Amino acid sequence: MTDEKLKAAILVVSETASQDPSTDKCIPVLQDVFAKLGNDQWEVASTDIIPDSVLDIQKSIRTWTDSENPINLIVTSGGTGFATKDVTPEAVTPLIDRHAPGLVHGMLSSSFAVTPFALMARPVAGVRKGTLILTLPGSPKGAKENLEAVLKLLPHACVQAAGAASRPLHVGGVEKLENDAGVSSGSTAAGAASGHRHSHHHNHSHSHGGHTGPKAHTKTEDRPQSNDPSAGPTRRYRSSPYPMLAVDEALKLIEEHTPPPIIDKAPVDMALGGSVLAEDVKAAESVPAFRASIVDGYAVRIPSSGKFEKGVYPVALVSHAQAGDVQELEEGQIARITTGAPLPPGADAVVMVEDTVLNSQTADGKEEKEVEILTDEIKSGENVREVGSDVREGATIMKRGEGITVVGGEFGLLASVGTTEVSIYRRPVVGVLSTGDEIIPHDRPGPLSLGEVRDTNRPTLLTAVRSNNFEAVDLGIVSDKPGALEDTLRSAFAKVDVIITSGGVSMGELDLLKPTIERSLGGTIHFGRVNMKPGKPTTFATVPTKHSSSTASRVAKTIFSLPGNPASAVVTFHLFVLPSLHKQAGIVPAGLPRVKVALDADVRMDKGRPEYHRAIVAVARDGGLVASSTGGQRSSRIGSFKGATALLCMPAGEGWVKKGEQVDALLMGKVGAV
Ligand code: AMP
Ligand code: MG
């Protein structure tokens, strides 16, 4: 480690202290712990006091973790109890990339040694980006004890979390780590911190509370998370525990947690359309590879005098556009040549056929014998495409990040220089499923029974995925019965990179998605509610993947759980899923292009939420873009998507945006004309 100190931040979460900072006692107490027990390794670089608000907590933490010069350790104090206002764990959990249950155990068991009421706290710990985050209790005494219990262990964790290589740190083994940290395996971290050193006597009895080893008193799956579906409707949450994010915040989380693209080698063939290059491509050959004529005519040799004379010349050779050797052209001879054919060695220029007349033919009348060249204004190199004049061997013909469009120009360029293989970003494979016991295949014959709904989302989303040039796998319809979803998701992740589900994310008791992702798959829900219309319950999560050495695989797989209402599902696909697919495929910029459009009629705003209004965008006579609404925007009404080429970004507010006024629009399809 360098001499530079580790930076800590203290975040006090308290309604009272946020109103009157002079009432806070935690900051001085914790600063004291860092100063006294911190082995001179810590600098408290920042402190803040905020109310019990999920958004405020997340905002403070993000400013510390997501900056260019991040803090090494954030300790929060307060809001970890069971009172309804206690939301610190709910705010911190979605921010954590990697959980550190060991630290939670350490803190709980050390305070359990003091009072069994310690178990009434719900601490979380883990790493976001390069920063370690711990949630301490709100009482100054509890906060102090908890921090003391683990502080000596933290420098090592923070240095690793900040990106130091683990190998050099671990040279010397556990013993060295313990010595450096000032702890020993014979004592708990708490014992070491408070100076109790006992000769090691292994004792599994818990009655002697003073020095039990760190031991979990709760299991991961028992800690508060999303709705527990097995607990039944009486126990379900009655309001969403997920904070409501703005669309931009949600997009930022998607950008942050979408795994980076993977690089593959791919043959240059038709399947390449839509791919993005992961490496520059250099031309292996020149184009043209030989000096070629650009006209039909006669190749001539300019005499050593430097001046070509007009007159009658014997046609000594013929060069067609075909492979094979061509003889040398002598001075005083000409060669008939076709467009694209190689110049004979010795030839300097080509006279076009229009500048010549036939003078005589062979005895059999089949060949030209002599041709008169009518001009003497021929310069060396005239009508010749020189070697490499289109593409020079070794030149970079395409750059990393450039796309191979389905239009074909890039494919042609690669083909022209004989490129057989390129490095590209692997395009993610996308699985699509619908959830709901009421959902039946769209093409099931016969009338519907009461309550049945034809599956609209799966076919629509599969089409949307494919039309954006991604491979889509149909994962079918999944029942709302516990277990079904978990099985489907698990087996799907063996073959796809991204899963899109629809339905099952609202607050009904059968809504199993969030619990299945968190509890059964060990995934992290990055957001579960977005302030928008339609699409409020849109959920984005990642599930870490096991690393297999045989094939490169993504570090995490992404799940988008879209709302069940069809129009909501399609809006949120375009708004949230596409940018993630683009990022995974290396496509820049990610997401739909944003343009300004003028409304062709008044459009009412939603009072509460920004609305993504389906519309048809066309080029007006003056060259500007105009948008017409597709009509009723109810979230269940998929008809609002018929013909739609754009999503208007309508601000929230009272009243109307008037005809002729401009709003932003996200373009999904081609712009037509009025
Ligand atoms: P949910 O979020 O599962 O409660 O679904 C919200 C609404 O969307 C309900 O009316 C569902 O019946 C409907 N819905 C869910 N999935 C689909 C689907 N695949 N196709 C058509 N409607 C659906
Ligand atoms: Mg449902």
Side-chain angles (χ1 to χ4, degrees):
M1 219 166 49
T2 65
D3 290 341
E4 221 171 273
K5 290 195 178 183
L6 291 162
K7 280 185 294 177
I10 302 170
L11 181 65
V12 169
V13 182
S14 154
E15 214 66 57
T16 331
S18 71
Q19 277 158 23
D20 179 3
S22 71
T23 60
D24 168 63
K25 299 212 175 56
C26 283
I27 293 179
V29 165
L30 294 175
Q31 271 172 329
D32 203 46
V33 176
F34 280 113
K36 294 218 169 105
L37 293 172
N39 204 12
D40 217 17
Q41 285 172 293
W42 296 97
E43 171 205 345
V44 176
S46 216
T47 62
D48 203 357
I49 305 179
I50 52 166
D52 291 282
S53 139
V54 168
L55 286 184
D56 288 338
I57 298 172
Q58 295 189 331
K59 209 166 116 203
S60 297
I61 292 182
R62 282 220 192 90
T63 50
W64 285 327
T65 55
D66 297 16
S67 73
E68 261 182 24
N69 198 0
I71 291 281
N72 297 98
L73 170 70
I74 298 173
V75 292
T76 70
S77 166
T80 59
F82 283 81
T84 46
K85 69 162 182 43
D86 292 328
V87 293
T88 305
E90 286 62 46
V92 174
T93 302
L95 298 182
I96 288 181
D97 305 322
R98 294 182 296 149
H99 286 270
L103 290 172
V104 173
H105 296 178
M107 293 193 293
L108 281 176
S109 61
S110 79
S111 32
F112 184 62
V114 179
T115 165
F117 276 97
L119 301 191
M120 299 310 286
R122 307 178 298 121
V124 293
V127 174
R128 173 179 177 79
K129 303 196 163 171
T131 304
L132 184 62
I133 308 173
L134 295 181
T135 64
L136 305 174
S139 80
K141 181 168 175 292
K144 174 173 184 280
E145 283 166 7
N146 273 249
L147 183 60
E148 285 176 349
V150 294
L151 182 63
K152 303 230 160 166
L153 307 170
L154 301 183
H156 179 67
C158 288
V159 169
Q160 283 200 300
S166 66
R167 214 162 264 264
L169 286 175
H170 287 155
V171 169
V174 174
E175 210 169 307
K176 176 161 187 302
L177 286 177
E178 287 180 350
N179 283 338
D180 288 353
V183 297
S184 77
S185 10
S187 64
T188 62
S194 49
H196 303 177
R197 283 289 170 95
H198 299 269
S199 65
H200 182 48
H201 171 66
H202 214 80
N203 180 3
H204 282 292
S205 147
H206 285 205
S207 58
H208 191 53
H211 23 83
T212 46
K215 182 178 181 316
H217 293 275
T218 56
K219 289 196 237 125
T220 322
E221 56 273 24
D222 296 337
R223 287 180 207 124
Q225 285 179 331
S226 45
N227 225 351
D228 178 353
S230 59
T234 54
R235 296 284 306 279
R236 72 181 151 109
Y237 293 136
R238 289 185 185 271
S239 68
S240 171
Y242 296 93
M244 176 96 97
L245 300 190
V247 169
D248 282 349
E249 292 176 286
L251 286 170
K252 219 170 133 221
L253 289 173
I254 291 173
E255 151 72 27
E256 244 168 59
H257 294 281
T258 291
I262 291 180
I263 298 172
D264 272 342
K265 294 270 182 217
V268 175
D269 61 23
M270 299 313 247
L272 215 51
S275 301
V276 174
L277 289 176
E279 270 172 24
D280 293 359
V281 179
K282 289 197 160 53
E285 299 166 355
S286 288
V287 181
F290 50 86
R291 301 181 79 204
S293 173
I294 56 177
V295 293
D296 289 330
Y298 296 87
V300 301
R301 182 164 177 154
I302 297 182
S304 35
S305 68
K307 173 93 179 90
F308 182 81
E309 303 289 343
K310 55 183 169 188
V312 176
Y313 287 86
V315 182
L317 308 166
V318 179
S319 178
H320 289 302
Q322 62 186 32
D325 279 344
V326 189
Q327 264 178 281
E328 173 145 1
L329 188 71
E330 308 282 338
E331 222 176 286
Q333 297 179 332
I334 58 172
R336 193 167 78 245
I337 192 164
T338 55
T339 304
L343 258 69
D348 298 301
V350 180
V351 178
M352 56 169 94
V353 69
E354 291 83 346
D355 289 336
T356 66
V357 287
L358 181 64
N359 188 275
S360 62
Q361 50 196 25
T362 51
D364 59 8
K366 288 195 175 148
E367 253 308 343
E368 301 170 334
K369 191 166 167 219
E370 288 172 321
V371 164
E372 183 176 356
I373 308 279
L374 303 173
T375 173
D376 49 14
E377 287 164 31
I378 295 293
K379 287 188 212 67
S380 180
E382 200 167 324
N383 295 330
V384 177
R385 265 193 318 141
E386 295 296 343
V387 172
S389 56
D390 288 352
V391 182
R392 189 160 298 284
E393 182 186 331
T396 302
I397 51 167
M398 286 194 70
K399 289 223 162 71
R400 182 167 70 100
E402 287 182 338
I404 296 161
T405 59
V406 277
V407 181
E410 297 80 15
F411 185 69
L413 180 59
L414 293 171
S416 72
V417 293
T419 314
T420 51
E421 195 181 64
V422 286
S423 289
I424 56 163
Y425 295 119
R426 185 186 303 174
R427 296 176 75 73
V429 177
V430 185
V432 178
L433 63 86
S434 290
T435 68
D437 285 335
E438 79 281 27
I439 307 298
I440 57 155
H442 72 279
D443 51 0
R444 200 212 55 197
L448 299 178
S449 308
L450 177 66
E452 283 183 336
V453 174
R454 290 197 192 272
D455 189 357
T456 315
N457 298 345
R458 196 170 37 112
T460 314
L461 293 169
L462 285 167
T463 311
V465 170
R466 287 182 187 137
S467 68
N468 279 281
N469 247 302
F470 293 98
E471 186 185 333
V473 176
D474 186 348
L475 301 173
I477 301 169
V478 181
S479 137
D480 284 326
K481 298 195 180 47
L485 191 61
E486 182 183 342
D487 291 348
T488 307
L489 293 179
R490 261 189 215 291
S491 59
F493 269 146
K495 48 189 182 219
V496 305
D497 303 298
V498 178
I499 293 180
I500 306 175
T501 73
S502 66
V505 279
S506 38
M507 292 300 299
E509 79 231 31
L510 291 179
D511 290 341
L512 290 171
L513 257 153
K514 288 178 176 113
T516 303
I517 293 169
E518 282 190 329
R519 291 161 183 263
S520 309
L521 300 176
T524 305
I525 292 182
H526 301 292
F527 61 80
R529 263 192 323 158
V530 188
N531 186 30
M532 63 183 289
K533 187 183 173 186
K536 190 168 78 171
T538 304
T539 298
F540 166 60
T542 50
V543 176
T545 44
K546 287 201 202 85
H547 184 71
S548 99
S549 50
S550 55
T551 52
S553 72
R554 293 176 203 273
V555 289
K557 304 229 169 177
T558 31
I559 305 186
F560 288 89
S561 294
L562 310 182
N565 272 319
S568 318
V570 184
V571 166
T572 51
F573 169 80
H574 282 99
L575 196 60
F576 297 122
V577 185
L578 257 191
S580 177
L581 298 184
H582 285 166
K583 183 176 173 200
Q584 295 185 54
I587 296 170
V588 183
L592 298 177
R594 187 180 278 262
V595 295
K596 290 246 183 266
V597 297
L599 299 181
D600 77 341
D602 298 355
V603 176
R604 187 189 268 289
M605 288 179 279
D606 185 83
K607 283 195 203 78
R609 289 176 277 159
E611 184 172 9
Y612 290 82
H613 191 115
R614 282 73 80 196
I616 300 163
V617 168
V619 183
R621 275 193 207 94
D622 66 0
L625 297 174
V626 278
S628 3
S629 166
T630 56
Q633 298 287 306
R634 221 159 112 181
S635 60
S636 54
R637 197 182 151 256
I638 189 68
S640 63
F641 259 99
K642 191 178 82 88
T645 52
L647 297 172
L648 303 182
C649 310
M650 297 290 295
E654 295 281 349
W656 304 72
V657 178
K658 295 279 181 214
K659 174 177 174 173
E661 286 181 0
Q662 286 207 323
V663 293
D664 279 3
L666 297 167
L667 284 182
M668 300 182 290
K670 284 207 175 118
V671 173
V674 236

